Structures are given as C-alpha cells and as structure tokens.
Amino acid sequence: MQRFKSLLSLQQSRFSFPTLARPFSVHPSYAEDLDDPQQQILVEGRAKSRTAILNAPSSLNALTTSMVGRLKRLYDSWEENSNIGFVLMKGSGRAFCSGTDVVKLYHTLNEGKAEEAEQFFKTLYSFVYLQGTYLKPHVAILDGITMGCGASIALPGMYRVVTDKTVFSHPEAQIGFHPDAGASYFLSHLPGYLGEYLAFTGDKLNGVEMIACRLATHYSLNARLPWLEERLGKLMTDDPSVVEASLAQYGDLVYPDRSSVLHKIDTIDRCFCHDTVEEIVEALEKEVAESYDQWCLTTLRKIKEASPLSLKVILRSIREGRFETLDQCLVREYRISLCGTTTRVSSDFFEGVRARMVDKDFAPKWDPPTLKEVSDDMVDCYFSPFDEVESELVLPTALREPYI
C-alpha cells in the first residue's frame, strides 16, 4: 500500500484534472423518447448554471450521434453565454452513462452505413476535446454505471463527483474493441500499470477507488446528492474555487477497503509492465504457479476471453498515450475506431458485440483466435494514417488548448 501511496503523490502533478427559487427545465417531463435527442438530453437551468441530463435510462444512457451532437451544441452555447458561470452533467436512472450504444452501432454498420458510424466517432471525440478545453467550471456527477466512453465525456472536466453507487469499467476488449474517446490518455496516466490491467480485464472500480487513483475529485453518498445539487444551484459564481468549496462541503473522506484491487498494485506492476501481451500473460502464469493466487487466475481468465487482436492494439494505444496530449490520443483513437469497425483487418468488433450483446451466446470466435497469430502488420494497420479516401480527425488545437 505504501507503493501505491507513493505513486499517487507522483500522479498528482500529472492528472488533475438574483437567485431563482426553482430551476427551470426546457423539458420538464423525464419521460424517455427514443427518437428525440431533446428528450434524451434534458436541460435544467438555475440563475448562474446549466445542467445537462442524459435521459435514456432504458439503454443506461448509452450515447448516440444525436445525443452527443446535442451535448456539443449546448456546451458551445453555454460557454459563449456570459450569464452562465458553470455547467453540470448527470444521468437519469441507475447509470451516468454506459458508453457508446454499441448495439445500435453494430446494426448501423451491418446496414452498410459506415458514414454514420464515422460521424458518431467524429462528433464524440470532438465533444471530449471540448470538455478538455472548456473555459468554465464543469461538474460531472458520476452516480451509477460509468462505462467506456461514458466516462470519457466527463473525465476531462474540472470536477468529477462519484458516489457509493458509482461503477467504472472499460470492457471494450471483451467485445473486440478498444478504450476510446480519450481513454488511452486517462488510463495511461493512472498509477503504475493499473490502466493496462483495467483495459485488459474490464475489471470495475468503485467510487472510492476512483478517488484513490484520481479519476474522480470528490466523493459523496448517493443520498446526499439532492442537497449537493441544491447547494450548487444556489451559487452565483463562475469562480472554480467557490464551486470546489461547495463540492467539498458535501464530500466525504474515504479510503479503499482491504478487498480493493488497488492493494494489488505491486503485483499489477510486476505483471503488466512488460512490452508485449505474451510477456504479460507469461508473468501472470508465473505468478499463479508461485502463489496460487485466485486474483491472478481470474485475471488470466478474463484476458484469455478477450480478443487477442484487441489486446495488442490496446497495449500499444495505452503505451503511446503516456507520451501524448489529449488531442493526439483522440486522433490516434479515431484511426483505431474506424479500422476496428470495418472488416479491413478483422471482424472482431462485430463478433464481440454479436456474442455478448445481440445473440448473447458469450462464445465469440475471434479472428485471429490466438495471440501468436496476431501479426505486427495487423496491429500497425490500426495506427496508420488514413489515405485520401478517409479524412483524419481534425480538432481546433490552435484555438483551444487542453488544460489536462
């Protein structure tokens, strides 16, 4: 645990990321409309703040192109409005956001609508960059399920509030994809090699663990959220320190319990520090042989259930993310995502989604089926710049510089 605390101290400098009596809402009804982005992204307003509410609870607030497009338009307009001091984001139901609506994306691609998928990734990544360069204080309340790019739309913001209901994970390797939308930046900046472990296994972190590894800035019990939101709603400020003080007022000081994976940081570093996936697997197998540790056995099983190609792509992506800015990570991830959602190299994304989320037989047939059969050329294809047929992701880096 001392090793973990020392890593955290190093991490702190790298990853830090007239009052109205009642709020107004441009859409006061919380009834879900699957086809109306204005109902899927609701807005609540106070005198000096606005709140964007992800409102697709039946899909755990999974993101679609229209939802992300509406978020970006709202955030652009709020940033330009001098009457708005700060912005909040939260989810309705039992999730903050479960990430991309991969089932919808799967069907879209199977219908031959590759341009729509390309537009989704372009819109999503542009919004993540907007978050990472936002000029006003931002508070994301990550109450409930927070998976994949559902975390990425919040992590670049100034403040991230987690609760006793928060569940964070990156399960993309198990569906033949990769942690995207800036995830290679955030995961690569976690203590030690924790990011590689989370990306390979899809293991979950709770709110306390997110605080400990600085993915989140504040912790509050779910039962206190109404008081916290009411306090924020009364603020008449654009001063980040005032917003932070209000968050701290309802916060709790918490520490990971003994069962936390964070107490495995030495073993994680020992096994996941290697340069190849094969070496990581070999190190885990050696650990199992010497210790008979059930955690190591479970970790090995999860890795062997994942797409071998995805594992190799993910390892390279996270390792490159350690030395790149947020915008550089997004540009690289855009290439990976477009390549991964075609059959140019492999159909693992389609097979993974089919097996786990469509047919639900949980028996994906990966191609290639083993790590040994994944060539360097196959991995290189995911990282190669596009030819003239496809355009690269262009972000307004000259106008907006990320503060993370």
Side-chain angles (χ1 to χ4, degrees), residues 354-371:
R354 179 207 63 77
R356 293 190 176 273
M357 307 188 74
V358 179
D359 296 339
K360 298 183 180 179
D361 57 28
F362 299 96
K365 295 179 175 58
W366 302 124
D367 177 30
T370 66
L371 290 169

Side-chain angles (χ1 to χ4, degrees), residues 255-276:
Y255 300 94
D257 61 32
R258 292 183 178 181
S259 64
S260 171
V261 70
L262 300 184
H263 292 291
K264 295 285 188 180
I265 192 68
D266 290 334
T267 305
I268 289 172
D269 285 356
R270 192 161 56 244
C271 293
F272 285 84
C273 67
H274 298 286
D275 293 334
T276 68

Side-chain angles (χ1 to χ4, degrees), residues 273-343:
C273 67
H274 298 286
D275 293 334
T276 68
V277 180
E278 290 89 343
E279 289 174 318
I280 291 171
V281 170
E282 184 180 344
L284 283 165
E285 290 174 337
K286 180 181 179 182
E287 200 77 27
V288 168
E290 293 177 353
S291 67
Y292 302 99
D293 190 330
Q294 183 59 46
W295 175 84
C296 289
L297 281 169
T298 301
T299 300
L300 265 176
R301 175 181 57 78
K302 290 178 179 179
I303 290 176
K304 291 179 178 180
E305 289 175 352
S307 158
L309 178 57
S310 287
L311 291 173
K312 290 200 172 185
V313 170
I314 289 168
L315 182 62
R316 177 168 166 182
S317 182
I318 290 178
R319 295 292 164 83
E320 290 189 7
R322 278 194 170 90
F323 304 99
E324 293 179 339
T325 57
L326 175 62
D327 58 287
Q328 291 171 330
C329 288
L330 289 167
V331 169
R332 172 175 38 75
E333 291 167 355
Y334 182 72
R335 294 172 183 167
I336 297 172
S337 294
L338 291 198
C339 185
T341 51
T342 68
T343 56

Side-chain angles (χ1 to χ4, degrees), residues 45-277:
R46 298 288 184 122
K48 200 65 176 177
S49 66
R50 297 292 183 271
T51 301
I53 306 169
L54 309 182
N55 185 47
S58 65
S59 65
L60 301 178
N61 300 324
L63 297 171
T64 63
T65 306
S66 60
M67 290 172 68
V68 182
R70 175 163 162 77
L71 280 172
K72 189 173 186 307
R73 290 189 299 273
L74 287 170
Y75 273 65
D76 280 333
S77 67
W78 292 341
E79 188 177 57
E80 294 173 2
N81 188 338
S82 60
N83 293 320
I84 296 175
F86 64 99
V87 176
L88 298 90
M89 183 190 294
K90 64 179 183 178
S92 59
R94 63 189 185 94
F96 169 70
C97 180
S98 62
T100 301
D101 190 337
V102 292
V103 173
K104 183 172 183 177
L105 183 62
Y106 167 88
H107 289 303
T108 297
L109 289 164
N110 277 330
E111 292 166 4
K113 301 175 182 177
E115 297 82 5
E116 291 187 19
E118 181 179 338
Q119 186 59 41
F120 169 74
F121 290 119
K122 188 171 294 185
T123 306
L124 173 62
Y125 295 6
S126 296
F127 178 68
V128 171
Y129 187 70
L130 175 64
Q131 279 279 46
T133 59
Y134 211 59
L135 300 179
K136 295 183 177 181
H138 184 267
V139 179
I141 301 176
L142 310 180
D143 185 41
I145 297 167
T146 305
M147 292 171 55
C149 71
S152 295
I153 63 171
L155 292 181
M158 192 172 292
Y159 302 117
R160 290 90 61 194
V161 180
V162 291
T163 74
D164 50 316
K165 303 289 186 182
T166 302
V167 179
F168 168 89
S169 68
H170 272 285
E172 291 91 345
Q174 278 65 36
I175 61 167
F177 200 54
H178 71 112
D180 69 325
S184 66
Y185 179 87
F186 303 112
L187 292 174
S188 67
H189 287 73
L190 292 180
Y193 295 91
L194 180 63
E196 284 90 335
Y197 165 77
L198 294 173
F200 274 32
T201 64
D203 199 8
K204 302 176 180 65
L205 296 182
N206 60 32
V208 175
E209 291 165 331
M210 289 182 72
I211 288 286
C213 60
R214 303 193 185 280
L215 281 169
T217 58
H218 296 82
Y219 182 94
S220 175
L221 293 176
N222 168 273
R224 292 184 183 175
L225 287 181
W227 301 336
L228 173 61
E229 292 180 47
E230 185 63 24
R231 170 62 179 159
L232 292 172
K234 292 178 179 179
L235 295 181
M236 299 289 292
T237 186
D238 59 3
D239 186 341
S241 65
V242 176
V243 176
E244 198 281 332
S246 294
L247 293 173
Q249 181 180 351
Y250 289 92
D252 294 282
L253 190 62
V254 289
Y255 300 94
D257 61 32
R258 292 183 178 181
S259 64
S260 171
V261 70
L262 300 184
H263 292 291
K264 295 285 188 180
I265 192 68
D266 290 334
T267 305
I268 289 172
D269 285 356
R270 192 161 56 244
C271 293
F272 285 84
C273 67
H274 298 286
D275 293 334
T276 68
V277 180

